[in-house]
Amino acid sequence: MDATTAAGLVGNIAVIGYGLAAVGPGIGVGLVVSKTIESIARQPELAGRLQVTMWLGIAFTEALALIGLATPFIFAA
Amino acid sequence: MSRASTSAAIFKTVIIQGILLSMAIAVVGGAAAFFAVGMSGLISAFIGAGLAVAFTTLTALAVWLGGKLPLGGFYGVVLGGWLLKVIVFITILAVLNHTDGLSRPTIFFTIVASVLGGLAIDAVAVLRSRVPVVEG
């Protein structure tokens, strides 16, 4: 009896993997954007600079999402 | 690299350099994969690098174009575009995952290489930039 049978799981366990890969970037992008909105509300004159910095934060965070999406190419059974 | 003086110049620099880097990764990775696994490796390297550059470039484009809109429109374009992009990429990768004749590890490693290289370009461009506090 393998581990998935013991746990009573049916279906593709890779779906759980994608769910976990989505949690981190979801929280990360949410934090980046919420802090940027807060900062622009405090200092609207800095909006241009803050948006560029926000984009850098999103770029780093979404890299995790893209790598997570691509993992079935090497981890699939 | 010239120092970008506006946010538009940063995005232009990042997009152009990102495309050049992905082309280089596609050629180098494609050559390596061609000798390792044959023609399927070459095609896979171009698909992987193309997907990665599209994914990262669309974010820069969304922030750049969204920056011309009011604040609500900006977040609508950036976050809505991000969501749409992820859904489209899940679909593309799901189709590719069931396509025969592709080298799957090659796709994965070219995507990872392009994404990491793109991040390096993004970070350098932002750190070297001098965006004025108030843009006209």
Side-chain angles (χ1 to χ4, degrees):
Chain A
M1 181 184 291
D2 62 20
T4 53
T5 311
L9 289 175
V10 290
N12 190 347
I13 201 166
V15 176
I16 297 177
Y18 172 66
L20 292 174
V23 168
I27 295 173
V29 171
L31 282 175
V32 169
V33 172
S34 76
K35 287 295 176 182
T36 308
I37 293 174
E38 193 177 305
S39 306
I40 292 176
R42 287 177 190 275
Q43 289 178 287
E45 70 276 10
L46 283 181
R49 181 78 216 180
L50 289 170
Q51 284 168 355
V52 172
T53 315
M54 183 198 80
W55 159 72
L56 189 62
I58 290 181
F60 271 83
T61 314
E62 75 174 6
L64 291 174
L66 182 54
I67 292 171
L69 286 179
T71 47
F73 284 103
I74 54 167
F75 292 149
Chain B
M1 189 195 307
S2 62
R3 285 179 182 269
S5 57
T6 64
S7 55
I10 293 175
F11 292 125
K12 195 175 167 189
T13 307
V14 162
I15 289 170
I16 292 172
Q17 291 183 353
I19 291 172
L20 290 177
L21 177 84
S22 281
M23 285 167 65
I25 287 174
V27 170
V28 174
F34 180 74
F35 289 114
V37 292
M39 199 60 194
S40 66
L42 183 66
I43 296 169
S44 303
F46 276 88
I47 291 175
L51 281 176
V53 74
F55 195 88
T56 51
T57 303
L58 283 175
T59 310
L61 267 180
V63 178
W64 181 12
L65 298 177
K68 302 177 194 297
L69 300 172
L71 198 58
F74 172 72
Y75 287 108
V77 169
V78 173
L79 298 179
W82 193 72
L83 189 61
L84 191 68
K85 184 178 67 175
V86 170
I87 292 172
V88 168
F89 270 76
I90 289 175
T91 310
I92 292 174
L93 290 175
V95 170
L96 286 177
N97 209 10
H98 293 95
T99 305
D100 294 330
L102 292 178
S103 168
R104 295 147 60 93
T106 307
I107 293 182
F108 177 77
F109 287 114
T110 47
I111 286 178
V112 171
S114 293
V115 167
L116 295 183
L119 286 180
I121 287 175
D122 297 352
V124 169
V126 171
L127 290 176
R128 289 174 61 94
S129 67
R130 287 179 181 165
V131 175
V133 171
V134 179
E135 289 192 38

